[in-house]
Amino acid sequence: MARLLIMPIIMTILSIPFFSVTASSGWFGFSLVILGLLVGLILGVFLGSLMEVKLREEDGKIVMKGSILVVLLWGIIILIKILSKNYLSENHILGLDILTSIFLAITLGTMISRRLIIYQRYLKKNKFNSQT
């Protein structure tokens, strides 16, 4: 279970400097980062619900299987991130630091909520296996 926590912790630690720069620039940038985090959390719940979680009986480790829909959705999201980042920064709508913070917040939110869904499924499967 510690493996589920490692990446969100590392990602949070690496993202904090970007978030603090955006937060110090004013409430608008900070609110956009919070909005990005909420979008990421919602997206992570959706992506997590598409994943299948199994327990290996030999060692009790979690085995996750994503669907092709998850892969396609991630590809579309990455494409949207790249295109919107180029468009918004080239047209001086949002600064590059705010855009970076927003995309980091979306990624962090997605990672956290997806891992929570996986953990919940692990607990359900573990509970089910212990009852049988």
mmCIF file of all heavy atoms in Angstrom, residues 1 3 15-16 22 39 41 44 47-48 61 72 74 79 85 87 95 104-105 109 114 121:
data_model
loop_
_atom_site.group_PDB
_atom_site.id
_atom_site.type_symbol
_atom_site.label_atom_id
_atom_site.label_comp_id
_atom_site.label_asym_id
_atom_site.label_seq_id
_atom_site.Cartn_x
_atom_site.Cartn_y
_atom_site.Cartn_z
ATOM 1 N N MET A 1 0.820 -1.204 0.000
ATOM 2 C CA MET A 1 0.000 0.000 0.000
ATOM 3 C C MET A 1 0.859 1.261 0.000
ATOM 4 O O MET A 1 0.406 2.296 -0.426
ATOM 5 C CB MET A 1 -0.928 0.001 1.213
ATOM 6 C CG MET A 1 -2.028 -1.064 1.170
ATOM 7 S SD MET A 1 -2.918 -1.233 -0.383
ATOM 8 C CE MET A 1 -3.419 0.393 -0.752
ATOM 9 N N ARG A 3 3.251 1.845 -1.857
ATOM 10 C CA ARG A 3 3.524 2.229 -3.244
ATOM 11 C C ARG A 3 2.477 3.194 -3.794
ATOM 12 O O ARG A 3 2.784 4.001 -4.659
ATOM 13 C CB ARG A 3 3.569 0.993 -4.132
ATOM 14 C CG ARG A 3 4.786 0.157 -3.924
ATOM 15 C CD ARG A 3 4.779 -0.998 -4.867
ATOM 16 N NE ARG A 3 5.965 -1.798 -4.711
ATOM 17 C CZ ARG A 3 6.183 -2.913 -5.340
ATOM 18 N NH1 ARG A 3 5.262 -3.391 -6.169
ATOM 19 N NH2 ARG A 3 7.279 -3.595 -5.160
ATOM 20 N N SER A 15 5.498 19.961 -6.578
ATOM 21 C CA SER A 15 4.545 20.966 -7.059
ATOM 22 C C SER A 15 4.421 22.170 -6.140
ATOM 23 O O SER A 15 4.024 23.249 -6.586
ATOM 24 C CB SER A 15 3.158 20.331 -7.224
ATOM 25 O OG SER A 15 3.207 19.297 -8.170
ATOM 26 N N ILE A 16 4.747 22.014 -4.877
ATOM 27 C CA ILE A 16 4.574 23.104 -3.913
ATOM 28 C C ILE A 16 5.283 24.394 -4.332
ATOM 29 O O ILE A 16 4.689 25.470 -4.236
ATOM 30 C CB ILE A 16 4.981 22.647 -2.494
ATOM 31 C CG1 ILE A 16 3.913 21.709 -1.954
ATOM 32 C CG2 ILE A 16 5.191 23.822 -1.559
ATOM 33 C CD1 ILE A 16 4.246 21.081 -0.622
ATOM 34 N N THR A 22 2.491 30.843 -7.787
ATOM 35 C CA THR A 22 1.185 31.243 -8.318
ATOM 36 C C THR A 22 0.336 31.888 -7.238
ATOM 37 O O THR A 22 -0.343 32.879 -7.494
ATOM 38 C CB THR A 22 0.458 30.022 -8.920
ATOM 39 O OG1 THR A 22 1.293 29.459 -9.923
ATOM 40 C CG2 THR A 22 -0.858 30.414 -9.530
ATOM 41 N N VAL A 39 -10.838 19.864 -10.809
ATOM 42 C CA VAL A 39 -11.018 19.164 -12.088
ATOM 43 C C VAL A 39 -10.223 17.854 -12.080
ATOM 44 O O VAL A 39 -10.718 16.810 -12.505
ATOM 45 C CB VAL A 39 -10.590 20.061 -13.276
ATOM 46 C CG1 VAL A 39 -10.479 19.263 -14.561
ATOM 47 C CG2 VAL A 39 -11.567 21.216 -13.450
ATOM 48 N N LEU A 41 -9.353 16.071 -9.440
ATOM 49 C CA LEU A 41 -9.989 15.118 -8.536
ATOM 50 C C LEU A 41 -11.175 14.430 -9.207
ATOM 51 O O LEU A 41 -11.335 13.208 -9.108
ATOM 52 C CB LEU A 41 -10.433 15.822 -7.253
ATOM 53 C CG LEU A 41 -9.322 16.278 -6.313
ATOM 54 C CD1 LEU A 41 -9.879 17.165 -5.212
ATOM 55 C CD2 LEU A 41 -8.588 15.089 -5.731
ATOM 56 N N GLY A 44 -9.879 12.081 -11.865
ATOM 57 C CA GLY A 44 -9.296 10.894 -11.251
ATOM 58 C C GLY A 44 -10.335 9.901 -10.783
ATOM 59 O O GLY A 44 -10.148 8.685 -10.897
ATOM 60 N N LEU A 47 -11.520 8.206 -13.991
ATOM 61 C CA LEU A 47 -10.524 7.263 -14.505
ATOM 62 C C LEU A 47 -10.353 6.072 -13.564
ATOM 63 O O LEU A 47 -10.188 4.940 -14.015
ATOM 64 C CB LEU A 47 -9.183 7.963 -14.715
ATOM 65 C CG LEU A 47 -9.140 8.997 -15.824
ATOM 66 C CD1 LEU A 47 -7.804 9.705 -15.833
ATOM 67 C CD2 LEU A 47 -9.413 8.366 -17.166
ATOM 68 N N GLY A 48 -10.408 6.320 -12.266
ATOM 69 C CA GLY A 48 -10.297 5.239 -11.298
ATOM 70 C C GLY A 48 -11.452 4.269 -11.377
ATOM 71 O O GLY A 48 -11.287 3.063 -11.166
ATOM 72 N N LYS A 61 -0.600 -8.687 -3.407
ATOM 73 C CA LYS A 61 -0.304 -7.413 -4.066
ATOM 74 C C LYS A 61 -1.451 -7.013 -4.989
ATOM 75 O O LYS A 61 -2.166 -7.852 -5.517
ATOM 76 C CB LYS A 61 0.992 -7.512 -4.855
ATOM 77 C CG LYS A 61 2.216 -7.566 -3.980
ATOM 78 C CD LYS A 61 3.473 -7.434 -4.783
ATOM 79 C CE LYS A 61 4.660 -7.432 -3.837
ATOM 80 N NZ LYS A 61 5.912 -7.261 -4.567
ATOM 81 N N LEU A 72 -6.953 6.221 -24.148
ATOM 82 C CA LEU A 72 -7.427 7.219 -25.118
ATOM 83 C C LEU A 72 -7.746 8.544 -24.436
ATOM 84 O O LEU A 72 -7.406 9.614 -24.947
ATOM 85 C CB LEU A 72 -8.653 6.695 -25.865
ATOM 86 C CG LEU A 72 -8.410 5.559 -26.846
ATOM 87 C CD1 LEU A 72 -9.736 5.031 -27.393
ATOM 88 C CD2 LEU A 72 -7.494 5.988 -27.967
ATOM 89 N N TRP A 74 -6.459 9.713 -21.633
ATOM 90 C CA TRP A 74 -5.212 10.366 -21.255
ATOM 91 C C TRP A 74 -4.543 11.019 -22.459
ATOM 92 O O TRP A 74 -3.994 12.120 -22.350
ATOM 93 C CB TRP A 74 -4.241 9.365 -20.613
ATOM 94 C CG TRP A 74 -4.410 9.299 -19.129
ATOM 95 C CD1 TRP A 74 -4.864 8.238 -18.416
ATOM 96 C CD2 TRP A 74 -4.173 10.335 -18.189
ATOM 97 N NE1 TRP A 74 -4.914 8.554 -17.088
ATOM 98 C CE2 TRP A 74 -4.488 9.829 -16.914
ATOM 99 C CE3 TRP A 74 -3.714 11.637 -18.281
ATOM 100 C CZ2 TRP A 74 -4.366 10.586 -15.753
ATOM 101 C CZ3 TRP A 74 -3.597 12.381 -17.118
ATOM 102 C CH2 TRP A 74 -3.920 11.851 -15.887
ATOM 103 N N LEU A 79 -3.068 16.053 -25.153
ATOM 104 C CA LEU A 79 -3.164 16.896 -26.339
ATOM 105 C C LEU A 79 -3.816 18.243 -26.010
ATOM 106 O O LEU A 79 -3.328 19.295 -26.437
ATOM 107 C CB LEU A 79 -3.942 16.165 -27.440
ATOM 108 C CG LEU A 79 -4.052 16.871 -28.770
ATOM 109 C CD1 LEU A 79 -2.667 17.025 -29.404
ATOM 110 C CD2 LEU A 79 -4.958 16.093 -29.705
ATOM 111 N N LYS A 85 -1.877 25.141 -23.590
ATOM 112 C CA LYS A 85 -0.704 25.810 -23.043
ATOM 113 C C LYS A 85 -0.080 26.720 -24.098
ATOM 114 O O LYS A 85 0.238 27.882 -23.828
ATOM 115 C CB LYS A 85 0.304 24.768 -22.563
ATOM 116 C CG LYS A 85 1.514 25.328 -21.891
ATOM 117 C CD LYS A 85 2.389 24.203 -21.388
ATOM 118 C CE LYS A 85 3.625 24.731 -20.749
ATOM 119 N NZ LYS A 85 4.491 23.656 -20.242
ATOM 120 N N TYR A 87 -1.551 27.977 -26.853
ATOM 121 C CA TYR A 87 -2.474 29.042 -27.234
ATOM 122 C C TYR A 87 -2.556 30.116 -26.153
ATOM 123 O O TYR A 87 -2.452 31.315 -26.450
ATOM 124 C CB TYR A 87 -3.867 28.460 -27.501
ATOM 125 C CG TYR A 87 -4.897 29.516 -27.788
ATOM 126 C CD1 TYR A 87 -4.942 30.130 -29.030
ATOM 127 C CD2 TYR A 87 -5.786 29.931 -26.813
ATOM 128 C CE1 TYR A 87 -5.875 31.125 -29.293
ATOM 129 C CE2 TYR A 87 -6.708 30.912 -27.066
ATOM 130 C CZ TYR A 87 -6.756 31.510 -28.308
ATOM 131 O OH TYR A 87 -7.673 32.495 -28.553
ATOM 132 N N GLY A 95 -0.182 33.566 -17.842
ATOM 133 C CA GLY A 95 1.267 33.404 -17.794
ATOM 134 C C GLY A 95 1.659 31.937 -17.728
ATOM 135 O O GLY A 95 0.881 31.080 -17.300
ATOM 136 N N LEU A 104 -0.188 21.117 -13.227
ATOM 137 C CA LEU A 104 0.324 20.308 -12.125
ATOM 138 C C LEU A 104 -0.789 19.971 -11.138
ATOM 139 O O LEU A 104 -0.860 18.846 -10.626
ATOM 140 C CB LEU A 104 1.458 21.037 -11.402
ATOM 141 C CG LEU A 104 2.820 20.991 -12.053
ATOM 142 C CD1 LEU A 104 3.788 21.913 -11.313
ATOM 143 C CD2 LEU A 104 3.362 19.578 -12.078
ATOM 144 N N ALA A 105 -1.663 20.937 -10.871
ATOM 145 C CA ALA A 105 -2.778 20.704 -9.953
ATOM 146 C C ALA A 105 -3.741 19.663 -10.525
ATOM 147 O O ALA A 105 -4.231 18.793 -9.797
ATOM 148 C CB ALA A 105 -3.516 22.014 -9.666
ATOM 149 N N GLY A 109 -4.321 16.212 -8.625
ATOM 150 C CA GLY A 109 -5.683 15.836 -8.230
ATOM 151 C C GLY A 109 -6.097 14.509 -8.827
ATOM 152 O O GLY A 109 -6.706 13.667 -8.155
ATOM 153 N N ARG A 114 -7.492 9.017 -8.030
ATOM 154 C CA ARG A 114 -7.408 7.686 -8.633
ATOM 155 C C ARG A 114 -6.820 6.688 -7.637
ATOM 156 O O ARG A 114 -7.303 5.562 -7.514
ATOM 157 C CB ARG A 114 -6.563 7.744 -9.901
ATOM 158 C CG ARG A 114 -6.861 6.590 -10.828
ATOM 159 C CD ARG A 114 -6.118 6.739 -12.135
ATOM 160 N NE ARG A 114 -4.916 5.934 -12.033
ATOM 161 C CZ ARG A 114 -3.713 6.300 -12.419
ATOM 162 N NH1 ARG A 114 -3.514 7.463 -12.953
ATOM 163 N NH2 ARG A 114 -2.696 5.509 -12.286
ATOM 164 N N ARG A 121 -11.104 0.074 -3.484
ATOM 165 C CA ARG A 121 -11.359 -1.228 -4.108
ATOM 166 C C ARG A 121 -10.494 -2.310 -3.481
ATOM 167 O O ARG A 121 -10.936 -3.441 -3.326
ATOM 168 C CB ARG A 121 -11.128 -1.144 -5.605
ATOM 169 C CG ARG A 121 -12.208 -0.330 -6.277
ATOM 170 C CD ARG A 121 -12.089 -0.425 -7.743
ATOM 171 N NE ARG A 121 -13.183 0.313 -8.343
ATOM 172 C CZ ARG A 121 -13.319 0.475 -9.623
ATOM 173 N NH1 ARG A 121 -12.455 -0.058 -10.458
ATOM 174 N NH2 ARG A 121 -14.333 1.158 -10.107
#
